[in-house]
Amino acid sequence: MSSTAWFTHDRFGMFVHWGLYSLAARHEWVQNREKLTDEQYRVYFDHFEPDKYDPRSWARAAKDAGMTYVVLTTKHHDGFCLWDSDLTDFKVTNTPYGEDLLEPFVDACREEGLKVGFYHSLIDWHHPAFPVDGTHPRRDDQEYIAAHQYADIAEYQLYLHGQVRELLTRFGTIDYLFFDFSYKGRKEWWGGKGPDDWDSPGLLKLVRELQPGILVNDRTGVPGDFITPEQYQPSGPMTRDGVPVVWEACQTLNGSWGYDRDNLDYKSPELLIRMLVDGVSKDGNLLLNVGPNGRGEIDPRALEVLAELGRWMDRHERSVRGCGPAEFTAPADGRYTQRGDRLYLHLFSWPMNHVHLPGLAGRVRYAQLLDDASEIRVVHTDPGQTAQNTQMGGQPEGTLTLKLPIRKP
Ligand code: FHN
């Protein structure tokens, strides 16, 4: 296992889903959803020419949003490689663009002082040795299935491990690896694939030999350094066999991982801030996704949201960075994050003039608004008075009350 210290300190990263599906501009599973043959899908390959690709602008957008690591899809389930792999022709260097995309990405991240993350799909619908299953675009094509029914999983493992070796030996230090994904037992997907299909123990051994400090997720089907709840916020700190485990929630901006031109349903900055704070209050990270378009640009709507997050992080970073859960139970519409003797109360709705904090009476020496460092009066009520104290609405014993400015800063 690698040290997760930087990861649980930083708390906030950018996920980037980018590939041929970005030209389809409707979903990264478009090949599966529309059962496109390789020939039909080839049109995106033949027109992949992201002339506006500027990973430095991506890295700056992430940094300005308060993110400290960026995770880019090196290959998604369609099998298209964003680097010059020796193991396939289905790669960016054979498209009209003609150049490796990963080296400029890792260079840009490092130039902006960000950690480098790779996403890599365990699934590969393009590779002939990948046994057809319920995820495969050709799942109903009996002729294709017949032609591939004796797909050699050992050959596929060599390919999978070989490409991971390329990724972890060609681009310097890689800080984070998001494998995606195991689905053993998904009966509707013909049993699905899992650690025995990927040779996950061997794969993880290879990863740790090549990049000893790397953080790897658990989607190989074998426990890794962190777990990855997707598109939901856990109800509390996460555990594995009763032991607390590092976790990171991955979330889209608009419900789609890949660029989805007509999807205008962007999450508000307020909601995303709540997700970030909620996660930290439960000892988790947020990995927020952007899906650049087929020219290599992050959508202006996404950039607006990221900029708003950055403005919030600029003023409130100390309530996130290096923080984790508090020993106290926060009020219903709020969250606590804590770092040392600093307790941060995040209020998702602003009460009229007081907030009552059970169990904190006598525990708080001084309170201030983080936004402008202005003092907040702590209304200490003697335990005997709480029940009768009408101004405080008769709070339970041990409750601390803060008198808040009527206006929300
Ligand atoms: O199938 C993928 C999906 O396209 C996307 O990459 C997400 C991101 O975590 N992972 C898988 C679904 O869990």
Side-chain angles (χ1 to χ4, degrees), residues 15 17 21 27-29 73 76-77 119 121 123 125 178-181 189 219 228-231 250-252 257-258 287 289:
F15 212 171
H17 277 70
Y21 46 81
H27 199 281
E28 80 281 355
W29 274 62
T73 50
H76 205 260
H77 309 334
Y119 164 110
S121 176
I123 297 167
W125 296 325
F178 189 114
F179 280 120
D180 205 21
F181 63 99
W189 284 355
R219 293 195 177 188
T228 54
E230 176 171 326
Q231 298 273 53
C250 53
Q251 296 276 5
T252 62
W257 297 102
L287 185 66
N289 183 74

PDB file of all heavy atoms in Angstrom, residues 15 17 21 27-29 73 76-77 119 121 123 125 178-181 189 219 228-231 250-252 257-258 287 289, ligand 1:
ATOM      1  N   PHE A  15     -11.246  15.003 -12.776  1.00  0.00           N
ATOM      2  CA  PHE A  15     -11.334  13.808 -13.608  1.00  0.00           C
ATOM      3  C   PHE A  15     -11.535  14.318 -15.039  1.00  0.00           C
ATOM      4  O   PHE A  15     -12.312  15.268 -15.239  1.00  0.00           O
ATOM      5  CB  PHE A  15     -12.564  12.999 -13.178  1.00  0.00           C
ATOM      6  CG  PHE A  15     -12.453  11.497 -13.322  1.00  0.00           C
ATOM      7  CD1 PHE A  15     -13.455  10.694 -12.779  1.00  0.00           C
ATOM      8  CD2 PHE A  15     -11.399  10.871 -13.969  1.00  0.00           C
ATOM      9  CE1 PHE A  15     -13.398   9.291 -12.870  1.00  0.00           C
ATOM     10  CE2 PHE A  15     -11.323   9.493 -14.074  1.00  0.00           C
ATOM     11  CZ  PHE A  15     -12.322   8.703 -13.516  1.00  0.00           C
ATOM     12  N   HIS A  17     -12.521  12.895 -18.837  1.00  0.00           N
ATOM     13  CA  HIS A  17     -12.895  11.839 -19.790  1.00  0.00           C
ATOM     14  C   HIS A  17     -12.811  12.417 -21.192  1.00  0.00           C
ATOM     15  O   HIS A  17     -13.571  13.331 -21.543  1.00  0.00           O
ATOM     16  CB  HIS A  17     -14.310  11.337 -19.509  1.00  0.00           C
ATOM     17  CG  HIS A  17     -14.390  10.302 -18.436  1.00  0.00           C
ATOM     18  ND1 HIS A  17     -14.164  10.568 -17.113  1.00  0.00           N
ATOM     19  CD2 HIS A  17     -14.676   8.972 -18.515  1.00  0.00           C
ATOM     20  CE1 HIS A  17     -14.309   9.459 -16.408  1.00  0.00           C
ATOM     21  NE2 HIS A  17     -14.611   8.474 -17.223  1.00  0.00           N
ATOM     22  N   TYR A  21     -15.157   9.130 -28.223  1.00  0.00           N
ATOM     23  CA  TYR A  21     -16.568   9.369 -27.881  1.00  0.00           C
ATOM     24  C   TYR A  21     -16.856  10.865 -27.720  1.00  0.00           C
ATOM     25  O   TYR A  21     -17.995  11.308 -27.767  1.00  0.00           O
ATOM     26  CB  TYR A  21     -16.949   8.613 -26.603  1.00  0.00           C
ATOM     27  CG  TYR A  21     -15.946   8.747 -25.498  1.00  0.00           C
ATOM     28  CD1 TYR A  21     -15.920   9.867 -24.669  1.00  0.00           C
ATOM     29  CD2 TYR A  21     -14.959   7.764 -25.300  1.00  0.00           C
ATOM     30  CE1 TYR A  21     -14.962  10.023 -23.677  1.00  0.00           C
ATOM     31  CE2 TYR A  21     -13.996   7.901 -24.300  1.00  0.00           C
ATOM     32  CZ  TYR A  21     -14.007   9.034 -23.493  1.00  0.00           C
ATOM     33  OH  TYR A  21     -13.054   9.172 -22.517  1.00  0.00           O
ATOM     34  N   HIS A  27     -22.328  10.425 -25.239  1.00  0.00           N
ATOM     35  CA  HIS A  27     -22.066   9.565 -24.087  1.00  0.00           C
ATOM     36  C   HIS A  27     -20.811   8.754 -24.345  1.00  0.00           C
ATOM     37  O   HIS A  27     -20.596   8.307 -25.472  1.00  0.00           O
ATOM     38  CB  HIS A  27     -23.253   8.619 -23.822  1.00  0.00           C
ATOM     39  CG  HIS A  27     -23.260   8.049 -22.430  1.00  0.00           C
ATOM     40  ND1 HIS A  27     -22.445   7.000 -22.060  1.00  0.00           N
ATOM     41  CD2 HIS A  27     -23.964   8.399 -21.325  1.00  0.00           C
ATOM     42  CE1 HIS A  27     -22.660   6.724 -20.775  1.00  0.00           C
ATOM     43  NE2 HIS A  27     -23.580   7.553 -20.310  1.00  0.00           N
ATOM     44  N   GLU A  28     -20.018   8.546 -23.333  1.00  0.00           N
ATOM     45  CA  GLU A  28     -18.774   7.787 -23.541  1.00  0.00           C
ATOM     46  C   GLU A  28     -19.056   6.306 -23.801  1.00  0.00           C
ATOM     47  O   GLU A  28     -18.181   5.575 -24.258  1.00  0.00           O
ATOM     48  CB  GLU A  28     -17.802   7.994 -22.374  1.00  0.00           C
ATOM     49  CG  GLU A  28     -18.061   7.194 -21.136  1.00  0.00           C
ATOM     50  CD  GLU A  28     -19.167   7.762 -20.275  1.00  0.00           C
ATOM     51  OE1 GLU A  28     -19.692   8.848 -20.598  1.00  0.00           O
ATOM     52  OE2 GLU A  28     -19.508   7.105 -19.282  1.00  0.00           O
ATOM     53  N   TRP A  29     -20.274   5.860 -23.521  1.00  0.00           N
ATOM     54  CA  TRP A  29     -20.646   4.479 -23.859  1.00  0.00           C
ATOM     55  C   TRP A  29     -21.402   4.421 -25.190  1.00  0.00           C
ATOM     56  O   TRP A  29     -22.128   3.467 -25.470  1.00  0.00           O
ATOM     57  CB  TRP A  29     -21.536   3.901 -22.761  1.00  0.00           C
ATOM     58  CG  TRP A  29     -20.796   3.287 -21.609  1.00  0.00           C
ATOM     59  CD1 TRP A  29     -19.938   3.940 -20.764  1.00  0.00           C
ATOM     60  CD2 TRP A  29     -20.851   1.936 -21.147  1.00  0.00           C
ATOM     61  NE1 TRP A  29     -19.482   3.065 -19.805  1.00  0.00           N
ATOM     62  CE2 TRP A  29     -20.017   1.830 -20.023  1.00  0.00           C
ATOM     63  CE3 TRP A  29     -21.533   0.797 -21.582  1.00  0.00           C
ATOM     64  CZ2 TRP A  29     -19.838   0.636 -19.324  1.00  0.00           C
ATOM     65  CZ3 TRP A  29     -21.365  -0.399 -20.890  1.00  0.00           C
ATOM     66  CH2 TRP A  29     -20.512  -0.478 -19.782  1.00  0.00           C
ATOM     67  N   THR A  73      -8.216   9.993 -18.758  1.00  0.00           N
ATOM     68  CA  THR A  73      -8.431   8.684 -19.367  1.00  0.00           C
ATOM     69  C   THR A  73      -7.332   8.414 -20.394  1.00  0.00           C
ATOM     70  O   THR A  73      -7.272   9.057 -21.438  1.00  0.00           O
ATOM     71  CB  THR A  73      -9.791   8.664 -20.088  1.00  0.00           C
ATOM     72  OG1 THR A  73      -9.871   9.828 -20.937  1.00  0.00           O
ATOM     73  CG2 THR A  73     -10.951   8.664 -19.114  1.00  0.00           C
ATOM     74  N   HIS A  76     -10.307   4.409 -22.666  1.00  0.00           N
ATOM     75  CA  HIS A  76     -11.601   4.060 -22.094  1.00  0.00           C
ATOM     76  C   HIS A  76     -12.027   2.715 -22.664  1.00  0.00           C
ATOM     77  O   HIS A  76     -11.232   2.034 -23.348  1.00  0.00           O
ATOM     78  CB  HIS A  76     -12.635   5.168 -22.356  1.00  0.00           C
ATOM     79  CG  HIS A  76     -13.745   5.176 -21.354  1.00  0.00           C
ATOM     80  ND1 HIS A  76     -14.971   4.623 -21.608  1.00  0.00           N
ATOM     81  CD2 HIS A  76     -13.796   5.629 -20.074  1.00  0.00           C
ATOM     82  CE1 HIS A  76     -15.741   4.742 -20.545  1.00  0.00           C
ATOM     83  NE2 HIS A  76     -15.061   5.359 -19.599  1.00  0.00           N
ATOM     84  N   HIS A  77     -13.255   2.299 -22.410  1.00  0.00           N
ATOM     85  CA  HIS A  77     -13.670   0.949 -22.791  1.00  0.00           C
ATOM     86  C   HIS A  77     -13.607   0.702 -24.295  1.00  0.00           C
ATOM     87  O   HIS A  77     -13.525  -0.458 -24.732  1.00  0.00           O
ATOM     88  CB  HIS A  77     -15.108   0.679 -22.316  1.00  0.00           C
ATOM     89  CG  HIS A  77     -15.348   0.985 -20.877  1.00  0.00           C
ATOM     90  ND1 HIS A  77     -14.367   0.960 -19.922  1.00  0.00           N
ATOM     91  CD2 HIS A  77     -16.492   1.356 -20.220  1.00  0.00           C
ATOM     92  CE1 HIS A  77     -14.882   1.290 -18.750  1.00  0.00           C
ATOM     93  NE2 HIS A  77     -16.162   1.525 -18.888  1.00  0.00           N
ATOM     94  N   TYR A 119      -6.334   7.347 -15.630  1.00  0.00           N
ATOM     95  CA  TYR A 119      -7.458   6.396 -15.642  1.00  0.00           C
ATOM     96  C   TYR A 119      -7.103   5.380 -16.718  1.00  0.00           C
ATOM     97  O   TYR A 119      -6.622   5.750 -17.801  1.00  0.00           O
ATOM     98  CB  TYR A 119      -8.747   7.144 -16.004  1.00  0.00           C
ATOM     99  CG  TYR A 119      -9.916   6.276 -16.435  1.00  0.00           C
ATOM    100  CD1 TYR A 119     -11.034   6.130 -15.631  1.00  0.00           C
ATOM    101  CD2 TYR A 119      -9.912   5.597 -17.654  1.00  0.00           C
ATOM    102  CE1 TYR A 119     -12.107   5.333 -16.019  1.00  0.00           C
ATOM    103  CE2 TYR A 119     -10.974   4.800 -18.045  1.00  0.00           C
ATOM    104  CZ  TYR A 119     -12.053   4.662 -17.234  1.00  0.00           C
ATOM    105  OH  TYR A 119     -13.113   3.874 -17.619  1.00  0.00           O
ATOM    106  N   SER A 121      -8.825   1.811 -18.597  1.00  0.00           N
ATOM    107  CA  SER A 121      -9.931   0.862 -18.655  1.00  0.00           C
ATOM    108  C   SER A 121      -9.421  -0.567 -18.697  1.00  0.00           C
ATOM    109  O   SER A 121      -8.558  -0.921 -19.506  1.00  0.00           O
ATOM    110  CB  SER A 121     -10.791   1.120 -19.904  1.00  0.00           C
ATOM    111  OG  SER A 121     -11.800   0.125 -19.993  1.00  0.00           O
ATOM    112  N   ILE A 123     -11.526  -2.870 -19.359  1.00  0.00           N
ATOM    113  CA  ILE A 123     -12.385  -3.335 -20.460  1.00  0.00           C
ATOM    114  C   ILE A 123     -11.837  -2.779 -21.774  1.00  0.00           C
ATOM    115  O   ILE A 123     -11.393  -1.629 -21.818  1.00  0.00           O
ATOM    116  CB  ILE A 123     -13.821  -2.812 -20.235  1.00  0.00           C
ATOM    117  CG1 ILE A 123     -14.405  -3.387 -18.936  1.00  0.00           C
ATOM    118  CG2 ILE A 123     -14.722  -3.092 -21.430  1.00  0.00           C
ATOM    119  CD1 ILE A 123     -15.682  -2.674 -18.481  1.00  0.00           C
ATOM    120  N   TRP A 125     -13.218  -3.065 -25.690  1.00  0.00           N
ATOM    121  CA  TRP A 125     -14.124  -3.639 -26.683  1.00  0.00           C
ATOM    122  C   TRP A 125     -13.469  -3.792 -28.060  1.00  0.00           C
ATOM    123  O   TRP A 125     -13.971  -4.498 -28.926  1.00  0.00           O
ATOM    124  CB  TRP A 125     -15.366  -2.741 -26.841  1.00  0.00           C
ATOM    125  CG  TRP A 125     -16.202  -2.639 -25.608  1.00  0.00           C
ATOM    126  CD1 TRP A 125     -16.447  -3.617 -24.677  1.00  0.00           C
ATOM    127  CD2 TRP A 125     -16.899  -1.465 -25.160  1.00  0.00           C
ATOM    128  NE1 TRP A 125     -17.252  -3.131 -23.672  1.00  0.00           N
ATOM    129  CE2 TRP A 125     -17.551  -1.815 -23.958  1.00  0.00           C
ATOM    130  CE3 TRP A 125     -17.060  -0.170 -25.655  1.00  0.00           C
ATOM    131  CZ2 TRP A 125     -18.334  -0.909 -23.241  1.00  0.00           C
ATOM    132  CZ3 TRP A 125     -17.843   0.727 -24.946  1.00  0.00           C
ATOM    133  CH2 TRP A 125     -18.466   0.375 -23.764  1.00  0.00           C
ATOM    134  N   PHE A 178      -6.431   5.006 -11.716  1.00  0.00           N
ATOM    135  CA  PHE A 178      -7.839   4.649 -11.564  1.00  0.00           C
ATOM    136  C   PHE A 178      -8.163   3.558 -12.603  1.00  0.00           C
ATOM    137  O   PHE A 178      -8.388   3.863 -13.773  1.00  0.00           O
ATOM    138  CB  PHE A 178      -8.709   5.894 -11.816  1.00  0.00           C
ATOM    139  CG  PHE A 178     -10.171   5.764 -11.506  1.00  0.00           C
ATOM    140  CD1 PHE A 178     -10.747   6.505 -10.473  1.00  0.00           C
ATOM    141  CD2 PHE A 178     -11.008   4.938 -12.238  1.00  0.00           C
ATOM    142  CE1 PHE A 178     -12.116   6.416 -10.188  1.00  0.00           C
ATOM    143  CE2 PHE A 178     -12.364   4.837 -11.966  1.00  0.00           C
ATOM    144  CZ  PHE A 178     -12.909   5.578 -10.942  1.00  0.00           C
ATOM    145  N   PHE A 179      -8.138   2.284 -12.171  1.00  0.00           N
ATOM    146  CA  PHE A 179      -8.552   1.200 -13.068  1.00  0.00           C
ATOM    147  C   PHE A 179     -10.078   1.173 -13.112  1.00  0.00           C
ATOM    148  O   PHE A 179     -10.738   1.479 -12.103  1.00  0.00           O
ATOM    149  CB  PHE A 179      -8.034  -0.149 -12.549  1.00  0.00           C
ATOM    150  CG  PHE A 179      -6.597  -0.424 -12.867  1.00  0.00           C
ATOM    151  CD1 PHE A 179      -5.675  -0.639 -11.846  1.00  0.00           C
ATOM    152  CD2 PHE A 179      -6.139  -0.497 -14.186  1.00  0.00           C
ATOM    153  CE1 PHE A 179      -4.331  -0.900 -12.127  1.00  0.00           C
ATOM    154  CE2 PHE A 179      -4.809  -0.764 -14.474  1.00  0.00           C
ATOM    155  CZ  PHE A 179      -3.917  -0.963 -13.450  1.00  0.00           C
ATOM    156  N   ASP A 180     -10.640   0.735 -14.258  1.00  0.00           N
ATOM    157  CA  ASP A 180     -12.085   0.767 -14.401  1.00  0.00           C
ATOM    158  C   ASP A 180     -12.541  -0.351 -15.318  1.00  0.00           C
ATOM    159  O   ASP A 180     -12.095  -0.365 -16.471  1.00  0.00           O
ATOM    160  CB  ASP A 180     -12.464   2.145 -14.984  1.00  0.00           C
ATOM    161  CG  ASP A 180     -13.859   2.575 -14.644  1.00  0.00           C
ATOM    162  OD1 ASP A 180     -14.428   2.051 -13.665  1.00  0.00           O
ATOM    163  OD2 ASP A 180     -14.385   3.390 -15.381  1.00  0.00           O
ATOM    164  N   PHE A 181     -13.378  -1.232 -15.020  1.00  0.00           N
ATOM    165  CA  PHE A 181     -13.901  -1.590 -13.720  1.00  0.00           C
ATOM    166  C   PHE A 181     -14.240  -3.090 -13.758  1.00  0.00           C
ATOM    167  O   PHE A 181     -14.269  -3.693 -14.824  1.00  0.00           O
ATOM    168  CB  PHE A 181     -15.160  -0.792 -13.364  1.00  0.00           C
ATOM    169  CG  PHE A 181     -16.351  -1.004 -14.253  1.00  0.00           C
ATOM    170  CD1 PHE A 181     -17.372  -1.870 -13.858  1.00  0.00           C
ATOM    171  CD2 PHE A 181     -16.456  -0.396 -15.498  1.00  0.00           C
ATOM    172  CE1 PHE A 181     -18.484  -2.095 -14.674  1.00  0.00           C
ATOM    173  CE2 PHE A 181     -17.552  -0.611 -16.314  1.00  0.00           C
ATOM    174  CZ  PHE A 181     -18.572  -1.463 -15.912  1.00  0.00           C
ATOM    175  N   TRP A 189     -24.776  -9.177 -17.364  1.00  0.00           N
ATOM    176  CA  TRP A 189     -23.681  -8.965 -18.311  1.00  0.00           C
ATOM    177  C   TRP A 189     -22.876 -10.247 -18.470  1.00  0.00           C
ATOM    178  O   TRP A 189     -21.657 -10.280 -18.417  1.00  0.00           O
ATOM    179  CB  TRP A 189     -22.774  -7.833 -17.816  1.00  0.00           C
ATOM    180  CG  TRP A 189     -23.389  -6.470 -18.024  1.00  0.00           C
ATOM    181  CD1 TRP A 189     -24.554  -6.194 -18.668  1.00  0.00           C
ATOM    182  CD2 TRP A 189     -22.866  -5.218 -17.566  1.00  0.00           C
ATOM    183  NE1 TRP A 189     -24.792  -4.848 -18.640  1.00  0.00           N
ATOM    184  CE2 TRP A 189     -23.780  -4.218 -17.985  1.00  0.00           C
ATOM    185  CE3 TRP A 189     -21.744  -4.851 -16.863  1.00  0.00           C
ATOM    186  CZ2 TRP A 189     -23.576  -2.872 -17.708  1.00  0.00           C
ATOM    187  CZ3 TRP A 189     -21.543  -3.517 -16.587  1.00  0.00           C
ATOM    188  CH2 TRP A 189     -22.454  -2.526 -16.996  1.00  0.00           C
ATOM    189  N   ARG A 219     -10.856  -0.973  -8.182  1.00  0.00           N
ATOM    190  CA  ARG A 219     -11.768  -1.484  -9.225  1.00  0.00           C
ATOM    191  C   ARG A 219     -11.157  -2.628 -10.044  1.00  0.00           C
ATOM    192  O   ARG A 219     -11.801  -3.125 -10.964  1.00  0.00           O
ATOM    193  CB  ARG A 219     -12.223  -0.344 -10.128  1.00  0.00           C
ATOM    194  CG  ARG A 219     -13.113   0.661  -9.388  1.00  0.00           C
ATOM    195  CD  ARG A 219     -13.856   1.585 -10.330  1.00  0.00           C
ATOM    196  NE  ARG A 219     -14.743   2.468  -9.595  1.00  0.00           N
ATOM    197  CZ  ARG A 219     -15.631   3.281 -10.163  1.00  0.00           C
ATOM    198  NH1 ARG A 219     -15.732   3.308 -11.488  1.00  0.00           N
ATOM    199  NH2 ARG A 219     -16.397   4.053  -9.434  1.00  0.00           N
ATOM    200  N   THR A 228     -13.948   3.851  -4.459  1.00  0.00           N
ATOM    201  CA  THR A 228     -14.405   4.890  -5.386  1.00  0.00           C
ATOM    202  C   THR A 228     -15.928   4.877  -5.548  1.00  0.00           C
ATOM    203  O   THR A 228     -16.447   4.458  -6.579  1.00  0.00           O
ATOM    204  CB  THR A 228     -13.778   4.670  -6.765  1.00  0.00           C
ATOM    205  OG1 THR A 228     -14.088   3.308  -7.164  1.00  0.00           O
ATOM    206  CG2 THR A 228     -12.274   4.866  -6.741  1.00  0.00           C
ATOM    207  N   PRO A 229     -16.657   5.360  -4.527  1.00  0.00           N
ATOM    208  CA  PRO A 229     -18.108   5.546  -4.732  1.00  0.00           C
ATOM    209  C   PRO A 229     -18.320   6.471  -5.932  1.00  0.00           C
ATOM    210  O   PRO A 229     -17.568   7.444  -6.110  1.00  0.00           O
ATOM    211  CB  PRO A 229     -18.572   6.175  -3.424  1.00  0.00           C
ATOM    212  CG  PRO A 229     -17.350   6.729  -2.768  1.00  0.00           C
ATOM    213  CD  PRO A 229     -16.218   5.867  -3.205  1.00  0.00           C
ATOM    214  N   GLU A 230     -19.301   6.107  -6.754  1.00  0.00           N
ATOM    215  CA  GLU A 230     -19.465   6.862  -8.002  1.00  0.00           C
ATOM    216  C   GLU A 230     -20.850   7.475  -8.083  1.00  0.00           C
ATOM    217  O   GLU A 230     -21.853   6.809  -7.917  1.00  0.00           O
ATOM    218  CB  GLU A 230     -19.266   5.914  -9.179  1.00  0.00           C
ATOM    219  CG  GLU A 230     -19.498   6.577 -10.531  1.00  0.00           C
ATOM    220  CD  GLU A 230     -19.098   5.686 -11.676  1.00  0.00           C
ATOM    221  OE1 GLU A 230     -18.118   4.928 -11.521  1.00  0.00           O
ATOM    222  OE2 GLU A 230     -19.773   5.745 -12.717  1.00  0.00           O
ATOM    223  N   GLN A 231     -20.869   8.773  -8.318  1.00  0.00           N
ATOM    224  CA  GLN A 231     -22.123   9.507  -8.520  1.00  0.00           C
ATOM    225  C   GLN A 231     -23.051   9.429  -7.303  1.00  0.00           C
ATOM    226  O   GLN A 231     -24.269   9.516  -7.468  1.00  0.00           O
ATOM    227  CB  GLN A 231     -22.863   8.959  -9.763  1.00  0.00           C
ATOM    228  CG  GLN A 231     -22.092   9.132 -11.071  1.00  0.00           C
ATOM    229  CD  GLN A 231     -22.332  10.487 -11.747  1.00  0.00           C
ATOM    230  OE1 GLN A 231     -22.174  11.530 -11.096  1.00  0.00           O
ATOM    231  NE2 GLN A 231     -22.699  10.473 -13.001  1.00  0.00           N
ATOM    232  N   CYS A 250     -16.371   9.978  -7.123  1.00  0.00           N
ATOM    233  CA  CYS A 250     -16.226  10.611  -8.438  1.00  0.00           C
ATOM    234  C   CYS A 250     -17.606  11.045  -8.923  1.00  0.00           C
ATOM    235  O   CYS A 250     -18.570  10.302  -8.832  1.00  0.00           O
ATOM    236  CB  CYS A 250     -15.526   9.708  -9.439  1.00  0.00           C
ATOM    237  SG  CYS A 250     -16.190   8.060  -9.653  1.00  0.00           S
ATOM    238  N   GLN A 251     -17.655  12.283  -9.388  1.00  0.00           N
ATOM    239  CA  GLN A 251     -18.926  12.897  -9.767  1.00  0.00           C
ATOM    240  C   GLN A 251     -18.786  13.593 -11.117  1.00  0.00           C
ATOM    241  O   GLN A 251     -17.737  14.168 -11.424  1.00  0.00           O
ATOM    242  CB  GLN A 251     -19.316  13.967  -8.721  1.00  0.00           C
ATOM    243  CG  GLN A 251     -19.581  13.436  -7.321  1.00  0.00           C
ATOM    244  CD  GLN A 251     -21.001  12.915  -7.147  1.00  0.00           C
ATOM    245  OE1 GLN A 251     -21.767  12.874  -8.098  1.00  0.00           O
ATOM    246  NE2 GLN A 251     -21.351  12.515  -5.927  1.00  0.00           N
ATOM    247  N   THR A 252     -19.867  13.541 -11.903  1.00  0.00           N
ATOM    248  CA  THR A 252     -19.860  14.320 -13.148  1.00  0.00           C
ATOM    249  C   THR A 252     -20.385  15.720 -12.869  1.00  0.00           C
ATOM    250  O   THR A 252     -20.993  15.982 -11.823  1.00  0.00           O
ATOM    251  CB  THR A 252     -20.800  13.669 -14.185  1.00  0.00           C
ATOM    252  OG1 THR A 252     -22.138  13.698 -13.645  1.00  0.00           O
ATOM    253  CG2 THR A 252     -20.387  12.239 -14.488  1.00  0.00           C
ATOM    254  N   TRP A 257     -19.991  11.500 -18.342  1.00  0.00           N
ATOM    255  CA  TRP A 257     -18.537  11.554 -18.171  1.00  0.00           C
ATOM    256  C   TRP A 257     -17.873  12.145 -19.405  1.00  0.00           C
ATOM    257  O   TRP A 257     -16.979  12.966 -19.336  1.00  0.00           O
ATOM    258  CB  TRP A 257     -17.984  10.163 -17.875  1.00  0.00           C
ATOM    259  CG  TRP A 257     -18.505   9.583 -16.598  1.00  0.00           C
ATOM    260  CD1 TRP A 257     -19.492   8.641 -16.461  1.00  0.00           C
ATOM    261  CD2 TRP A 257     -18.097   9.915 -15.266  1.00  0.00           C
ATOM    262  NE1 TRP A 257     -19.708   8.381 -15.127  1.00  0.00           N
ATOM    263  CE2 TRP A 257     -18.862   9.153 -14.377  1.00  0.00           C
ATOM    264  CE3 TRP A 257     -17.150  10.799 -14.734  1.00  0.00           C
ATOM    265  CZ2 TRP A 257     -18.734   9.234 -12.992  1.00  0.00           C
ATOM    266  CZ3 TRP A 257     -17.007  10.891 -13.355  1.00  0.00           C
ATOM    267  CH2 TRP A 257     -17.792  10.107 -12.496  1.00  0.00           C
ATOM    268  N   GLY A 258     -18.308  11.698 -20.566  1.00  0.00           N
ATOM    269  CA  GLY A 258     -17.766  12.243 -21.807  1.00  0.00           C
ATOM    270  C   GLY A 258     -18.524  13.505 -22.194  1.00  0.00           C
ATOM    271  O   GLY A 258     -19.617  13.780 -21.700  1.00  0.00           O
ATOM    272  N   LEU A 287     -13.629  13.775  -6.647  1.00  0.00           N
ATOM    273  CA  LEU A 287     -12.993  13.806  -7.969  1.00  0.00           C
ATOM    274  C   LEU A 287     -14.062  14.265  -8.950  1.00  0.00           C
ATOM    275  O   LEU A 287     -14.988  13.528  -9.258  1.00  0.00           O
ATOM    276  CB  LEU A 287     -12.467  12.421  -8.351  1.00  0.00           C
ATOM    277  CG  LEU A 287     -11.677  12.335  -9.664  1.00  0.00           C
ATOM    278  CD1 LEU A 287     -10.369  13.110  -9.585  1.00  0.00           C
ATOM    279  CD2 LEU A 287     -11.400  10.871 -10.042  1.00  0.00           C
ATOM    280  N   ASN A 289     -15.519  15.595 -12.516  1.00  0.00           N
ATOM    281  CA  ASN A 289     -15.209  15.293 -13.915  1.00  0.00           C
ATOM    282  C   ASN A 289     -15.513  16.444 -14.873  1.00  0.00           C
ATOM    283  O   ASN A 289     -16.524  17.147 -14.724  1.00  0.00           O
ATOM    284  CB  ASN A 289     -16.027  14.080 -14.369  1.00  0.00           C
ATOM    285  CG  ASN A 289     -15.702  13.675 -15.793  1.00  0.00           C
ATOM    286  OD1 ASN A 289     -14.658  13.101 -16.062  1.00  0.00           O
ATOM    287  ND2 ASN A 289     -16.589  14.001 -16.731  1.00  0.00           N
TER     288      ASN A 289
HETATM  289  O1  FHN B   1     -18.155   2.678 -17.443  1.00  0.00           O
HETATM  290  C1  FHN B   1     -17.385   3.682 -16.796  1.00  0.00           C
HETATM  291  C2  FHN B   1     -17.919   5.045 -17.100  1.00  0.00           C
HETATM  292  O2  FHN B   1     -17.926   5.274 -18.484  1.00  0.00           O
HETATM  293  C3  FHN B   1     -17.028   6.086 -16.400  1.00  0.00           C
HETATM  294  O3  FHN B   1     -15.687   5.994 -16.887  1.00  0.00           O
HETATM  295  C4  FHN B   1     -17.052   5.814 -14.891  1.00  0.00           C
HETATM  296  C5  FHN B   1     -16.164   6.804 -14.154  1.00  0.00           C
HETATM  297  O4  FHN B   1     -15.944   6.340 -12.845  1.00  0.00           O
HETATM  298  N1  FHN B   1     -16.579   4.449 -14.651  1.00  0.00           N
HETATM  299  C6  FHN B   1     -17.334   3.408 -15.287  1.00  0.00           C
HETATM  300  C7  FHN B   1     -18.713   3.265 -14.693  1.00  0.00           C
HETATM  301  O5  FHN B   1     -18.566   2.963 -13.312  1.00  0.00           O
END
